[in-house]
Amino acid sequence: MIPQACITPSQIELQEAERTTLANGIELYTLPSDDFEVLRVSFVFRAGSACQRVPFSASAATNLLAEGSTRMTAQQIAERLDYYGSWYDVNIDRDYAYINFATLSKFFAETLAVAEEILLRPAFPDEELRIYAAKRRQRLAIERTKVDVRAREAFARVLFGPTHPYGISSDAAEYDRLTRDDVVAFHRRHYTAENCFVVCSGRIGPGEKAVIAALAEQLPRGGVPDAVPFPPPVSEHEVFVEHPGAVQTSLRLGRLLFPRQHPDFVGMQVVATALGGYFGSRLMQNLRERNGYTYGVVAAMVNFERAGYFAVATQVGTDVAREALREIYREIERLREEPMPEEELELVKNMMSGEMMRVLDGPFGIADVTIENILCGADNSVIGENIRRIRSMTPADVQALARKYLTREDLVTVAVGTGNPMA
């Protein structure tokens, strides 16, 4: 048998995106590949929920883009995309909104014509807004009956503070107060050339690039909108949220650290992976395999534009929540006190390298990584550098990072369920 270390790449050299600055200042990045007769165009706007002043206006503006334009109804847009087998998708996080169009090369022109309607002429019909708001309010109310959702929201509040843009959780009733004027105003302020860049990947020749550029150059200039107040985070140490009738307790713990640009971010990704980043991780072996407290547990580094944090999350039976929390602390302390065996660390490195190879399999995966790198102020050469940093980590490095950043008194812990496991 060939040892895994022999078949896992020690470095990755990723294709660099070709950058073009358009007439309205938008940066257009292209990643040509002739391997498949498909292409994808992604418009990235600084229009996440942290940018909004009216609750839910950011997500509504993103999700209602295709619900009718000034020249096409929502049904016509959906039927046109479906007819050509094109794929349209939107995502929004705290900082950015991502508008994606994917198509077969032979239907590129037809798909971009629909994209033009969605991007440049959204109508935000009031009737569609009311339907959307009613569905989202109901969905949010249902989601908040689940202990893991309540724990996720509580953890954000505890880490950043209840009024911080990264920590706020709005009442579902705010959907009833959301107006078309709110959505239109958010769109007008944030869906502008100054707040946008474009990444396209796949079979892109000069003709396709010219059409994409022509569409992007129609995005209006609007200036940089006034920034939403961004106070310093204010963290609490321990919070328990009572959830009557719950048979499981959702546990979240971690701490504020730093965004991806920090020199220790990659090293802390190694620490998080060893602790709970793959099926054979220390927490999985302890909480699931050895004790049977949970079906799954995860540890990860989370990156926002202005902050980053380390977190552990799991759901356990309410009757074993105290024991599970004790074991999580114990595994963190073991990382701090005992150097990892070389064999275990090598496995972690291979898992991380292999996952990167999986993500980079195909032009669309490369485009996703390129977008993430652009948002972090880096180019694609950072991938190779990160792999080299991961491969160079030693047990002493892992232990030093765990000692530096995972002291018990710095950890924030949230539990949602019945009976406080921290009491």
Side-chain angles (χ1 to χ4, degrees), residues 23-42:
N24 58 353
I26 287 178
E27 300 289 351
L28 171 62
Y29 298 85
T30 54
L31 293 153
S33 172
D34 292 331
D35 293 342
F36 305 96
E37 293 186 8
V38 294
L39 58 86
R40 192 186 81 179
V41 185
S42 299

Side-chain angles (χ1 to χ4, degrees), residues 46-64:
R46 187 188 298 273
S49 61
C51 301
Q52 68 189 11
R53 294 179 181 272
V54 177
F56 305 122
S57 57
S59 57
T62 302
N63 287 296
L64 291 172

Side-chain angles (χ1 to χ4, degrees), residues 395-407:
D397 294 331
V398 173
Q399 184 179 15
L401 288 170
R403 282 184 169 180
K404 183 176 182 180
Y405 294 118
L406 299 183
T407 56

Side-chain angles (χ1 to χ4, degrees), residues 157-171:
R157 288 195 302 271
V158 171
L159 272 185
F160 294 101
T163 62
H164 191 281
Y166 289 160
I168 193 169
S169 298
S170 297
D171 192 286

Side-chain angles (χ1 to χ4, degrees), residues 38-274:
V38 294
L39 58 86
R40 192 186 81 179
V41 185
S42 299
F43 292 80
V44 182
F45 294 91
R46 187 188 298 273
S49 61
C51 301
Q52 68 189 11
R53 294 179 181 272
V54 177
F56 305 122
S57 57
S59 57
T62 302
N63 287 296
L64 291 172
L65 284 171
E67 297 302 317
S69 74
T70 56
R71 302 196 302 198
M72 297 176 69
T73 65
Q75 182 177 349
Q76 288 172 328
I77 289 174
E79 288 177 347
R80 188 72 59 86
L81 291 170
D82 185 60
Y83 180 79
Y84 293 111
S86 302
W87 176 75
Y88 167 72
D89 176 64
V90 299
N91 287 288
I92 183 170
D93 58 28
R94 293 291 192 181
D95 299 301
Y96 292 92
Y98 310 84
I99 319 299
N100 303 304
F101 302 90
T103 177
L104 294 172
S105 300
K106 61 183 178 180
F107 297 132
F108 168 76
E110 293 84 353
T111 302
L112 262 287
V114 182
E116 181 175 329
E117 294 297 315
I118 292 171
L119 287 168
L120 302 180
R121 288 181 281 275
F124 302 116
D126 192 65
E127 180 181 356
E128 297 290 348
L129 172 60
R130 297 274 58 88
I131 294 171
Y132 166 84
K135 288 182 177 179
R136 287 299 176 116
R137 174 175 178 167
Q138 182 181 29
R139 182 188 301 178
L140 183 58
I142 293 172
E143 287 294 300
R144 284 177 174 168
T145 65
K146 302 173 183 177
V147 291
D148 61 321
V149 173
R150 294 194 67 190
R152 184 183 68 237
E153 293 184 338
F155 188 63
R157 288 195 302 271
V158 171
L159 272 185
F160 294 101
T163 62
H164 191 281
Y166 289 160
I168 193 169
S169 298
S170 297
D171 192 286
E174 294 291 343
Y175 275 117
D176 295 336
R177 293 184 276 273
L178 184 65
T179 69
R180 180 180 181 276
D181 288 344
D182 296 328
V183 178
V184 170
F186 183 88
H187 180 268
R188 185 179 298 118
R189 285 195 304 270
H190 296 280
Y191 284 76
T192 64
E194 291 85 351
N195 282 321
C196 178
F197 67 87
V198 183
V199 175
C200 48
S201 60
R203 184 163 289 187
I204 302 164
E208 288 82 5
K209 181 178 177 179
V211 172
I212 295 167
L215 171 57
E217 285 180 336
Q218 294 183 66
L219 286 167
R221 287 183 177 272
V224 178
D226 294 337
V228 171
F230 227 89
V234 179
S235 298
E236 300 178 60
H237 186 58
E238 292 183 349
V239 169
F240 171 68
V241 179
E242 183 74 32
H243 193 89
V247 296
Q248 287 192 310
T249 295
S250 185
L251 301 173
R252 293 207 173 214
L253 60 89
R255 62 160 300 185
L256 282 174
L257 285 175
F258 31 69
R260 191 176 297 275
Q261 298 91 327
H262 192 279
D264 284 342
F265 190 93
V266 171
M268 282 302 296
Q269 283 184 305
V270 176
V271 174
T273 301

